[in-house]
Amino acid sequence: RFGRQWLRHPAAYAAMEEFLLSAFTALLCDQGADEQRFSDRGDERCLRRAKEYIRANVDRVPTLAEIANHACVSPRTLEAAFKRHAGLAPLAYARRCRLQAVHEVLRAAQHEGRSINVTDVALAYGFLHMGRFAAQYREQFGCSPSETVRPH
């Protein structure tokens, strides 16, 4: 119903494109290779590569396919390795890293006495929905983003 409007909006267009590409990639992955459990050493290697990629791209929202590609495994294998060793999904780990980066920027501004716009910082790290961002931030750090920058 709103297809034409969505296609004119760059973020919506990119999200739809990424969704379709991820779906096609998942359909084309070799399912047989995913059934084999990686050794701990294999898990460590793919987790190290994935975490390096996530930290190197902390200023944007990576896709599962991008992270898996960098880790040289399928998305399904990467998710299984993360859940076995980190207890969370790769995209949840990436979100935590992005939240940590935002937190560090806000804390630095607070310590330096600089005025900073929380929304601008959140957007710079790929958070588009401010309500969700604030809830996730509070869950991870126990306070709101605005409380972090408030002078003590």
Side-chain angles (χ1 to χ4, degrees):
R1 180 171 158 195
F2 298 105
R4 291 183 198 275
Q5 288 174 301
W6 279 85
L7 290 175
R8 284 193 302 262
H9 192 278
Y13 184 88
M16 286 187 285
E17 182 179 56
E18 181 54 42
F19 172 77
L20 290 172
L21 289 173
S22 295
F24 287 132
T25 301
L27 289 172
L28 295 174
C29 282
D30 178 17
Q31 297 296 321
D34 286 330
E35 299 304 330
Q36 299 174 348
R37 287 178 58 88
F38 267 53
S39 68
D40 281 345
R41 212 168 147 215
D43 279 355
E44 288 174 22
R45 196 171 27 253
C46 83
L47 288 172
R48 186 186 74 249
R49 288 178 184 148
K51 289 177 179 181
E52 286 171 357
Y53 181 79
I54 289 167
R55 286 190 294 266
N57 294 283
V58 75
D59 60 335
R60 64 183 199 79
V61 181
T63 65
L64 180 60
E66 289 171 350
I67 299 168
N69 186 42
H70 188 80
C72 302
V73 294
S74 73
R76 190 168 154 195
T77 298
L78 181 66
E79 284 193 316
F82 257 89
K83 286 182 181 169
R84 273 194 302 273
H85 296 281
L88 69 163
L91 295 180
Y93 176 84
R95 183 179 60 243
R96 283 188 175 193
C97 289
R98 291 181 9 253
L99 284 167
Q100 183 63 43
V102 169
H103 183 69
E104 290 170 10
V105 169
L106 297 179
R107 296 269 309 173
Q110 188 263 340
H111 285 303
E112 296 167 7
R114 288 185 290 123
S115 175
I116 193 164
N117 185 311
V118 172
T119 300
D120 289 343
V121 176
L123 289 171
Y125 285 91
F127 294 99
L128 303 177
H129 189 283
M130 292 304 113
R132 222 174 289 143
F133 160 72
Q136 292 165 346
Y137 187 97
R138 180 179 293 282
E139 182 181 322
Q140 186 162 330
F141 300 107
C143 64
S144 71
S146 58
E147 289 172 329
T148 302
V149 297
R150 203 174 290 141
H152 298 309

